[in-house]
Amino acid sequence: DAMVIQNPRYQVTQFGKPVTLSCSQTLNHNVMYWYQQKSSQAPKLLFHYYDKDFNNEADTPDNFQSRRPNTSFCFLDIRSPGLGDAAMYLCATSRTLAGADTQYFGPGTRLTVL
Amino acid sequence: GQNIDQPTEMTATEGAIVQINCTYQTSGFNGLFWYQQHAGEAPTFLSYNVLDGLEEKGRFSSFLSRSKGYSYLLLKELQMKDSASYLCAVMDSNYQLIWGAGTKLIIKP
């Protein structure tokens, strides 16, 4: 019954080695989000897609890219991971951007950078 | 700037009641969310308030006062499984969620 699925749950990469995290959803929601969350901190929005319309947060580093090939899937590409990019990466979806539309989160991918 | 304030940590006893407060200053307001997050897991939705007043959902209730920029989450009949972080988030005028850092709730037997 999983609605927002993230793979892998745990990812280890080496400093500077590109890595891709994936997210899929069975809710048919229009909006998909990627957040970065470090320990004991609030989730930080990196970007979101409304359908195919990509919206990048102003302070998201260029090192982070995203692709949404279809409604169900969204990918987070980290081109050259640094030690500071070690975090939990959360994918979320919502039906629209409206206030009453709850964001549903996947289980997250914990990224370790060696 | 936009800001969400909530206590860093709270401790309560199993079976008791606890109130977690959240104050906010945001550019516009399109609703306030409470999420529960267990350690190492994703946030799960608890409640949404957009009008002033109390919303009750089982053991959990959430209150909003827009004029005061204030909300609280009330947890009754605390259980050990309620040990988690509780995140307050406000949707601003751009429909962006502004998140608090979360309140870590520790339940003791």
Side-chain angles (χ1 to χ4, degrees):
Chain A
D1 280 53
M3 296 182 291
V4 184
I5 303 158
Q6 290 187 244
N7 285 304
R9 294 291 308 277
Y10 299 90
Q11 176 74 58
V12 180
T13 191
Q14 292 181 336
F15 184 94
K17 184 174 181 181
V19 67
T20 295
L21 310 182
S22 74
C23 177
S24 62
Q25 54 130 341
T26 60
L27 298 162
N28 204 34
H29 281 174
N30 294 308
V31 191
M32 295 187 78
Y33 308 80
W34 279 105
Y35 287 89
Q36 179 194 66
Q37 187 179 28
K38 297 187 178 181
S39 182
S40 300
Q41 295 184 20
K44 178 182 181 301
L45 183 64
L46 297 173
F47 22 61
H48 74 271
Y49 275 94
Y50 192 113
D51 290 332
K52 295 181 180 179
D53 185 21
F54 177 70
N55 296 273
N56 197 32
E57 293 303 301
D59 57 354
T60 298
D62 292 340
N63 196 26
F64 291 87
Q65 303 286 318
S66 185
R67 297 169 283 137
R68 189 179 186 186
N70 53 52
T71 301
S72 301
F73 285 86
C74 195
F75 299 97
L76 170 63
D77 300 308
I78 309 176
R79 291 197 280 191
S80 182
L83 297 178
D85 297 327
M88 174 79 89
Y89 289 87
L90 296 165
C91 174
T93 74
S94 64
R95 192 175 58 86
T96 71
L97 290 170
D101 282 336
T102 303
Q103 291 188 19
Y104 293 93
F105 286 82
T109 295
R110 182 165 294 283
L111 179 68
T112 300
V113 181
L114 300 177
Chain B
Q2 308 201 88
N3 197 47
I4 308 283
D5 285 316
Q6 48 182 135
T8 304
E9 187 173 298
M10 299 182 70
T11 302
T13 304
E14 190 176 15
I17 299 173
V18 71
Q19 177 175 311
I20 303 174
N21 295 325
C22 170
T23 58
Y24 62 90
Q25 299 95 39
T26 57
S27 55
F29 180 83
N30 280 299
L32 184 145
F33 295 81
W34 283 97
Y35 281 83
Q36 180 192 60
Q37 186 174 27
H38 286 99
E41 298 182 12
T44 55
F45 170 76
L46 289 178
S47 67
Y48 171 72
N49 294 68
V50 68
L51 299 176
D52 290 350
L54 187 68
E55 294 276 345
E56 297 186 77
K57 195 184 287 186
R59 293 189 298 116
F60 293 5
S61 303
S62 56
F63 172 82
L64 175 67
S65 168
R66 287 171 297 170
S67 62
K68 295 181 179 177
Y70 168 70
S71 172
Y72 67 73
L73 180 69
L74 190 72
L75 292 78
K76 303 176 185 176
E77 301 169 18
L78 286 169
Q79 302 174 9
M80 298 303 292
K81 68 178 182 178
D82 297 329
S83 292
S85 286
Y86 291 85
L87 296 131
C88 173
V90 173
M91 186 160 281
D92 69 8
S93 57
N94 293 319
Y95 294 101
Q96 179 167 325
L97 267 185
I98 310 301
W99 293 84
T103 298
K104 183 177 180 181
L105 178 63
I106 299 168
I107 310 295
K108 294 187 174 179

